[in-house]
Amino acid sequence: MKQFDLDVWEEILVTITRNKTRSLLTAFGIFWGIFMLIALMGGAQGMQQMLSREFEGFATNSGFMGANKTSKAYKGFQQGRYWDLENSDVDRVRRSVNEVDIITPSLAKWGVDVIYNEQKISGTLKGLYPEYGKIEEPMITYGRYLNDMDVKDRRRVCVIGKRIYETLFPGKENPCGRFIKINGIYYQVIGVSVSSGNISINGRSETSVTIPFTTMQQNYNFGQKVQLLCYTARKGYSISEVEKKVAQVVKRAHYIHPDDNQAMIQVNAEAMFSMMDNLFSGIRILGWMVGLGTLLAGAIGVSNIMMVTVKERTVEIGIRRAIGARPNDILQQILSESMVLTILAGMAGIAFAVFLLNVVEVGTSEPNAPTHFLISFWEAVGACVLLLFLGLLAGLAPAYRAMSVKPIDAIRDE
């Protein structure tokens, strides 16, 4: 077939290498454009995975509420009043707000000393119900998580976080059944959670010791006090809807002004996750805009250079026409030169981008949590198709100009 004629490809190579500096500078625009596109796509994907890993195991449809000083007087109570959430608020919300799926209280003490033999570390002591595991899922490697009997019998048992375990048990042995001392009280270790999420609700999971909620209230004189209400929304409802109804129920029970927004601290995890998704959607769109813009600029550069090349080859093209070359032969020649230059530069840009992304991936991945910066096979195929299209587009104007060259113009130009 004619398109595989070695003479044709030799002529394309000679034309491209005739002016090496000009060809290299032209190719660099395509090289840099496709490099930016692939690097930004892969980088955004890897960063999203790294950030998502920080929220791994955390319920996206969750919300949290804590008590704060009131800012408005109401029903005989002055403004600036301090108040506390109580155990009864859990049942109150569970009965009154049907949109709530799970609701559980939480208590915490920060900066406690956790001791085992000669090892010591400062951490956070949390009092939780087993239901909290559906909001912030523990990754248990040894033993088990809290259960209902632990809560009912007020057992002195605990689940320790990853950093607590590594510090107290440097030999990496199974700690279940061992006793650790926290502020003078001994607790039996029943499990180890290696969750390493970066969301800090009453302290990071890595440096936390979790005990039954009832044990926490009894051992540290919390009475009926609750520091946080943690809840999730039923399917089909948003936390924004649910938290308003939860706030209404709690305010009514504690005689707080309905419009007093300062009296409660509310955290909407759903909004945080939505913000993160929107952020990375914006980054991906920006990456496409920058990459495609740079590629388009490179394609325009290729087109301009091909226009100059056609002008320089006016005599050659005229002679070809005079000895019987058809317009389609001239069109094919110019388009082939443009596409070959674009594809060679583009493939070099893809290869360099993939190489750098692979280096970044190897440098940032952890043994148990790999991060994928490399683009998928189909994204690479799409980039190649884009290169072919841009090469064709860049060569159209020069090719049509070459087709319009007449033998008499060539003689006159000579």
Side-chain angles (χ1 to χ4, degrees):
M1 294 178 66
K2 190 173 181 179
Q3 56 264 38
F4 294 107
D5 190 341
L6 289 178
D7 292 336
V8 173
W9 293 104
E10 184 179 357
E11 185 177 352
I12 291 173
L13 181 62
V14 169
T15 303
I16 292 175
T17 57
R18 185 178 297 163
N19 192 324
K20 295 183 177 63
T21 303
R22 185 170 65 189
S23 296
L24 285 173
L25 291 176
T26 304
F28 183 76
I30 296 293
F31 169 87
W32 188 250
I34 199 70
F35 167 77
M36 289 288 290
L37 180 61
I38 300 299
L40 288 171
M41 287 169 57
Q45 174 181 288
M47 287 177 61
Q48 186 170 13
Q49 286 189 4
M50 290 178 66
L51 191 55
S52 297
R53 195 164 63 225
E54 299 297 328
F55 303 113
E56 189 175 3
F58 203 88
T60 57
N61 63 334
S62 57
F64 305 87
M65 175 184 291
N68 195 26
K69 186 171 65 172
T70 62
S71 62
K72 294 184 178 181
Y74 188 64
K75 289 192 175 182
F77 291 96
Q78 295 181 349
Q79 73 176 56
R81 171 170 61 100
Y82 289 94
W83 64 285
D84 292 312
L85 291 164
E86 299 175 349
N87 288 348
S88 55
D89 290 321
V90 177
D91 294 327
R92 191 176 287 122
V93 171
R94 189 177 286 133
R95 289 194 308 267
S96 304
V97 186
N98 294 326
E99 295 84 352
V100 167
D101 184 22
I102 298 168
I103 181 164
T104 181
S106 170
L107 289 170
K109 286 180 68 68
W110 294 269
V112 298
D113 292 328
V114 186
I115 303 171
Y116 178 73
N117 292 338
E118 302 300 322
Q119 309 297 330
K120 178 179 178 182
I121 184 174
S122 179
T124 304
L125 183 64
K126 294 183 180 181
L128 301 173
Y129 277 91
E131 290 84 355
Y132 186 80
K134 297 179 180 178
I135 296 176
E136 190 175 358
E137 183 180 358
M139 295 176 60
I140 303 297
T141 54
Y142 292 109
R144 62 173 177 85
Y145 195 60
L146 301 176
N147 61 31
D148 292 332
M149 292 304 297
D150 297 329
V151 174
K152 182 180 178 181
D153 296 339
R154 295 182 172 83
R155 294 174 178 170
R156 293 185 179 182
V157 294
C158 67
V159 177
I160 59 177
K162 179 181 178 182
R163 192 175 299 174
I164 300 287
Y165 166 68
E166 291 173 347
T167 302
L168 299 187
F169 302 93
K172 307 296 183 182
E173 68 268 26
N174 186 345
C176 294
R178 310 287 179 86
F179 286 85
I180 61 175
K181 185 167 70 171
I182 303 174
N183 285 10
I185 300 176
Y186 284 91
Y187 295 91
Q188 186 178 28
V189 178
I190 59 169
V192 177
S193 172
V194 294
S195 300
S196 56
N198 230 0
I199 293 184
S200 178
I201 302 298
N202 268 350
R204 293 190 60 179
S205 57
E206 287 186 342
T207 54
S208 296
V209 177
T210 303
I211 65 174
F213 182 84
T214 49
T215 305
M216 183 84 166
Q217 280 191 319
Q218 176 181 273
N219 288 0
Y220 299 97
N221 300 317
F222 279 101
Q224 297 297 305
K225 179 181 176 181
V226 171
Q227 290 175 338
L228 282 181
L229 287 182
C230 314
Y231 47 86
T232 61
R234 290 187 186 276
K235 190 174 182 180
Y237 297 96
S238 69
I239 285 296
S240 299
E241 297 176 81
V242 171
E243 67 180 3
K244 292 178 182 177
K245 295 187 177 182
V246 172
Q248 289 172 0
V249 171
V250 175
K251 284 179 180 179
R252 189 163 53 246
H254 291 271
Y255 302 104
I256 297 170
H257 196 286
D259 298 327
D260 189 351
N261 296 323
Q262 182 181 304
M264 291 179 174
I265 299 172
Q266 291 179 295
V267 177
N268 186 337
E270 188 177 62
M272 292 167 53
F273 282 99
S274 177
M275 187 184 303
M276 185 185 72
D277 289 338
N278 292 336
L279 171 65
F280 279 100
S281 295
I283 290 175
R284 282 192 293 270
I285 292 172
L286 180 62
W288 275 102
M289 289 175 63
V290 172
L292 290 177
T294 311
L295 265 179
L296 186 59
I300 292 172
V302 172
S303 182
N304 289 335
I305 291 301
M306 293 306 298
M307 290 287 280
V308 172
T309 303
V310 167
K311 187 174 181 180
E312 290 176 347
R313 297 165 64 190
T314 301
V315 175
E316 174 194 333
I317 294 170
I319 293 173
R320 286 191 179 196
R321 293 293 305 276
I323 62 177
R326 294 173 299 175
N328 283 343
D329 295 330
I330 304 299
L331 177 67
Q332 181 181 356
Q333 180 69 24
I334 300 301
L335 286 178
S336 297
E337 292 173 7
S338 172
M339 292 177 69
V340 167
L341 182 62
T342 303
I343 291 171
L344 288 176
M347 296 305 290
I350 292 175
F352 186 56
V354 169
F355 170 74
L356 285 185
L357 288 174
N358 188 56
V359 171
V360 173
E361 180 174 314
V362 171
T364 57
S365 293
E366 299 176 6
N368 297 324
T371 303
H372 301 292
F373 281 86
L374 295 180
I375 61 172
S376 68
F377 171 77
W378 291 110
E379 286 175 326
V381 170
C384 293
V385 172
L386 181 62
L387 284 174
L388 286 171
F389 174 75
L390 286 175
L392 180 64
L393 193 66
L396 280 178
Y400 278 110
R401 177 168 179 172
M403 285 174 60
S404 66
V405 174
K406 299 177 181 178
I408 191 65
D409 294 330
I411 295 171
R412 186 181 299 115
D413 199 49
E414 182 65 20

